[in-house]
C-alpha cells in the first residue's frame, strides 16, 4: 500500500517523521465484522455466486484512509471461512478497469489494487500483507514489525496454496467503453495464516484485519492507461480507501485495523454478536500514549520518564479510571495496566510491541 520497502531510504525517513496519528487523537474503536463458517463448497471464480455469499453480510463501505472523506467509488467486502480456507469477496466500483503489472511480487499498488492486512495475535508484530490488481497479479509479504520500528519485510514469503480470481464487470484495458467495476474472490489456506498466531484457527475468536484500496487518476498514452502525471512530470498522489480508518496515510499502524470475529455458526442459524473487548479499548489508549512518547522523543531526543507528565488527564473507560504505570528502564520504557475488566496485565513497550500476562 502507501509505503513500500522498495522506495528510497530518504523517503522512508521523511515518512517516519510525518506519519503517525496525533498524540491527541481521540480514541475511536476500529470497525468489526462477523465472518461465519460455511459448509458450502466455494468456487473461486471472482463472482461470489454461492448461497453462502448471498447470506453473508457486507462490510460497511470503504472510506478515506484518514477517516472523513467519502471515496469517489464504492468498495465493500464479505468474509467466510471453513476448516481449510479463509475466504474474501470484494466488489470495487470502477468506470475504467485497467492494470499493467503481470509479475508476482512486484509493487502492485502502482496499479489500482485491493489489499488485505492480517495480524492474527494483535500485537502489531509479525503480520501479513496481500495485494492484487485487476489482472489477478499478486503480491504477498510478511512483516516482522511495522516500518515505524524498522521492521523487516520478508518479500519471498508466499501464502502457499492461495486461490484468487478476478471478474471484470466490463472490459479491462479498453479505453472506448465505461465499466461497472471488478470483483475479487480469494481463498487463503489457514495453514499459511496461523503460523503468525498461535497455530490454530480462531474459532469463536477474533483477528485484527483491515482492507485497503489504492486508486489512481489516470491518463491515456496511445489508448493505454497509465498513472496520471502533473505538470512537473511526477505522478499525482494516489487515493487510499479503507474499511476501518487509519486516521493517517499509513496502513502500517496495525492497532487501527478492524476486528474480524470467526463465528462457528452458519449465517442463517446465527445469533452471534461481537462486542469489542474492553481491554482492547485500554490497548488503544496505550498506543495513544506510545505515539505521544514517540513525538516527544523526536522533538527532545529523550523519553518522558514521569507518568504525571505523560498522562495529563484521566483515562476513563466504561466509568472506570484506568491506572497506567510508566516503567522506565535502560533501553526505554513499558506502559503497564492491570485491567479492571479482566485478570490480564496489559503491557506496551517503547518498540510498539504489545503483550498480555495473566495476573495470579
Amino acid at each position: 500500500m502507501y509505503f513500500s520497502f522498495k522506495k528510497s531510504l530518504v523517503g522512508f525517513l521523511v515518512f517516519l517523521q510525518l506519519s503517525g496519528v496525533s498524540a491527541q487523537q481521540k480514541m475511536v474503536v476500529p470497525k468489526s465484522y462477523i465472518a461465519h463458517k460455511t459448509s458450502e463448497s466455494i468456487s473461486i471464480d471472482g463472482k461470489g455466486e454461492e448461497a453462502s455469499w448471498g447470506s453473508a453480510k457486507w462490510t460497511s463501505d470503504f472510506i478515506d484512509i484518514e477517516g472523513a472523506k467519502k471515496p469517489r467509488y464504492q468498495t465493500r467486502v464479505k468474509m467466510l471461512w471453513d476448516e481449510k480456507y479463509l475466504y474474501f469477496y470484494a466488489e470495487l466500483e470502477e468506470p475504467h478497469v485497467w492494470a499493467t503489472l503481470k509479475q508476482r511480487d512486484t509493487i502492485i499498488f502502482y496499479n489500482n489494487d485491493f489489499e488485505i492486512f492480517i495480524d492474527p495475535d494483535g500485537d502489531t508484530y509479525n503480520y501479513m500483507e496481500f495485494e492484487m490488481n485487476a489482472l489477478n497479479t499478486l503480491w504477498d509479504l510478511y512483516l516482522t514489525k511495522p516500518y515505524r520500528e524498522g521492521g523487516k519485510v520478508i518479500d519471498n514469503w508466499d501464502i502457499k496454496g492461495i486461490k484468487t480470481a478476478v471478474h471484470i464487470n466490463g472490459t479491462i484495458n479498453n479505453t472506448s467503453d465505461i465499466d461497472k467495476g471488478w470483483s475479487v474472490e480469494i481463498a487463503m489456506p489457514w495453514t499459511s495464516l496461523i503460523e503468525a498466531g498461535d497455530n490454530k484457527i480462531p474459532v469463536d475468536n477474533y483477528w485484527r484485519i483491515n482492507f485497503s484500496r489504492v486508486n489512481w487518476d489516470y491518463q491515456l498514452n496511445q489508448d493505454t492507461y497509465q498513472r496520471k502525471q502533473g505538470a512537473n512530470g511526477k505522478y499525482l498522489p494516489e487515493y487510499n480507501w479503507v474499511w476501518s480508518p487509519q486516521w493517517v496515510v499509513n496502513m502500517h499502524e496495525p492497532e487501527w485495523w478492524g476486528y474480524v470475529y470467526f463465528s462457528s455458526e452458519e449465517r442463517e442459524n446465527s445469533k452471534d454478536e461481537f462486542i469489542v473487548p474492553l481491554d482492547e479499548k485500554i490497548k488503544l489508549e496505550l498506543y495513544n500514549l506510545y505515539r505521544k512518547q514517540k513525538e516527544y522523543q523526536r522533538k527532545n531526543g529523550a523519553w518522558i520518564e514521569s507518568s504525571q507528565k505523560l498522562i495529563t488527564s484521566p483515562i476513563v473507560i466504561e466509568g472506570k479510571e484506568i491506572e497506567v504505570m510508566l516503567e522506565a528502564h535502560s533501553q526505554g520504557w513499558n506502559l503497564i495496566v492491570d485491567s479492571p475488566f479482566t485478570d490480564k496485565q496489559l503491557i506496551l513497550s517503547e518498540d510498539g510491541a504489545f503483550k498480555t500476562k495473566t495476573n495470579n
Side-chain angles (χ1 to χ4, degrees):
M1 193 263 158
Y2 172 74
F3 177 75
S4 166
F5 69 96
K6 296 181 181 179
K7 292 186 178 179
S8 70
L9 178 60
V10 173
F12 174 58
L13 294 175
V14 171
F15 172 81
L16 284 181
Q17 292 171 357
L18 297 180
S19 70
V21 179
S22 165
Q24 305 304 317
Q25 169 73 44
K26 181 180 179 181
M27 184 184 72
V28 179
V29 177
K31 295 183 180 180
S32 60
Y33 180 91
I34 298 178
H36 289 278
K37 188 176 183 182
T38 179
S39 58
E40 186 176 19
S41 177
I42 303 295
S43 175
I44 304 302
D45 55 12
K47 299 179 181 179
E49 295 178 330
E50 288 80 4
S52 295
W53 283 129
S55 62
K57 288 187 176 181
W58 289 107
T59 62
S60 55
D61 288 352
F62 284 23
I63 61 173
D64 184 81
I65 192 170
E66 295 182 279
K69 295 176 288 185
K70 180 179 179 180
R72 182 183 305 171
Y73 307 126
Q74 184 187 53
T75 314
R76 54 185 184 169
V77 179
K78 293 182 177 184
M79 283 167 272
L80 294 168
W81 69 276
D82 60 22
E83 287 84 358
K84 291 185 177 180
Y85 295 101
L86 172 55
Y87 299 99
F88 303 89
Y89 174 72
E91 290 185 348
L92 300 85
E93 182 185 31
E94 174 61 67
H96 295 277
V97 180
W98 64 275
T100 60
L101 300 173
K102 299 180 180 180
Q103 179 181 341
R104 183 167 179 155
D105 288 340
T106 190
I107 306 177
I108 298 300
F109 66 81
Y110 285 169
N111 284 173
N112 295 341
D113 78 351
F114 174 72
E115 306 178 352
I116 304 172
F117 296 80
I118 303 175
D119 180 10
D121 56 11
D123 65 353
T124 76
Y125 275 47
N126 299 310
Y127 61 88
M128 295 157 277
E129 178 179 353
F130 168 86
E131 303 182 8
M132 65 186 294
N133 66 7
L135 287 173
N136 198 22
T137 307
L138 313 183
W139 185 20
D140 44 7
L141 53 156
Y142 187 95
L143 293 96
T144 60
K145 52 185 175 179
Y147 292 116
R148 64 190 176 192
E149 293 294 343
K152 291 183 179 180
V153 176
I154 314 301
D155 196 26
N156 287 326
W157 176 84
D158 288 333
I159 304 174
K160 294 181 180 179
I162 192 171
K163 301 178 183 179
T164 63
V166 175
H167 173 70
I168 309 298
N169 194 347
T171 51
I172 191 170
N173 292 329
N174 186 343
T175 64
S176 66
D177 65 358
I178 300 297
D179 308 310
K180 290 186 178 180
W182 52 298
S183 57
V184 303
E185 197 168 10
I186 303 161
M188 292 186 180
W190 286 113
T191 52
S192 292
L193 301 180
I194 60 177
E195 292 177 322
D198 56 8
N199 285 308
K200 62 182 180 181
I201 299 173
V203 181
D204 296 325
N205 206 340
Y206 65 88
W207 277 6
R208 302 301 300 275
I209 295 177
N210 209 355
F211 304 98
S212 174
R213 174 183 177 180
V214 171
N215 218 73
W216 298 87
D217 289 323
Y218 71 89
Q219 63 188 27
L220 297 179
N221 181 9
Q222 297 180 348
D223 291 330
T224 299
Y225 291 103
Q226 59 182 216
R227 289 183 289 162
K228 190 172 184 178
Q229 297 169 299
N232 59 2
K234 295 183 179 180
Y235 293 115
L236 298 182
E238 77 278 17
Y239 301 98
N240 296 278
W241 303 327
V242 303
W243 169 46
S244 194
Q246 295 288 125
W247 312 108
V248 65
V249 186
N250 180 6
M251 284 303 299
H252 295 273
E253 295 194 0
E255 63 269 22
W256 293 116
W257 296 354
Y259 299 88
V260 176
Y261 178 83
F262 298 95
S263 171
S264 58
E265 297 185 359
E266 296 197 18
R267 177 74 180 93
E268 57 268 25
N269 302 319
S270 177
K271 295 182 181 179
D272 276 354
E273 294 183 3
F274 175 73
I275 299 174
V276 175
L278 294 177
D279 278 3
E280 287 293 312
K281 297 183 179 182
I282 297 176
K283 181 177 174 180
L284 286 173
E285 294 287 4
L286 291 179
Y287 273 102
N288 195 35
L289 296 174
Y290 160 85
R291 287 186 286 272
K292 184 176 180 179
Q293 278 278 42
K294 291 290 185 176
E295 184 177 321
Y296 184 90
Q297 198 274 340
R298 283 195 295 269
K299 292 179 178 178
N300 300 281
W303 303 112
I304 299 173
E305 295 187 354
S306 163
S307 58
Q308 290 77 16
K309 187 174 181 179
L310 178 64
I311 306 163
T312 55
S313 59
I315 298 173
V316 179
I317 297 174
E318 297 295 318
K320 293 186 178 292
E321 185 167 343
I322 306 303
E323 296 184 11
V324 182
M325 181 176 71
L326 173 60
E327 178 187 69
H329 55 82
S330 60
Q331 301 300 314
W333 46 265
N334 293 315
L335 297 173
I336 303 172
V337 173
D338 290 320
S339 171
F341 308 114
T342 65
D343 62 349
K344 300 293 180 62
Q345 186 177 75
L346 314 181
I347 305 168
L348 181 63
S349 58
E350 76 287 334
D351 60 1
F354 178 83
K355 62 182 178 180
T356 62
K357 291 183 178 179
T358 300
N359 285 321
N360 296 323

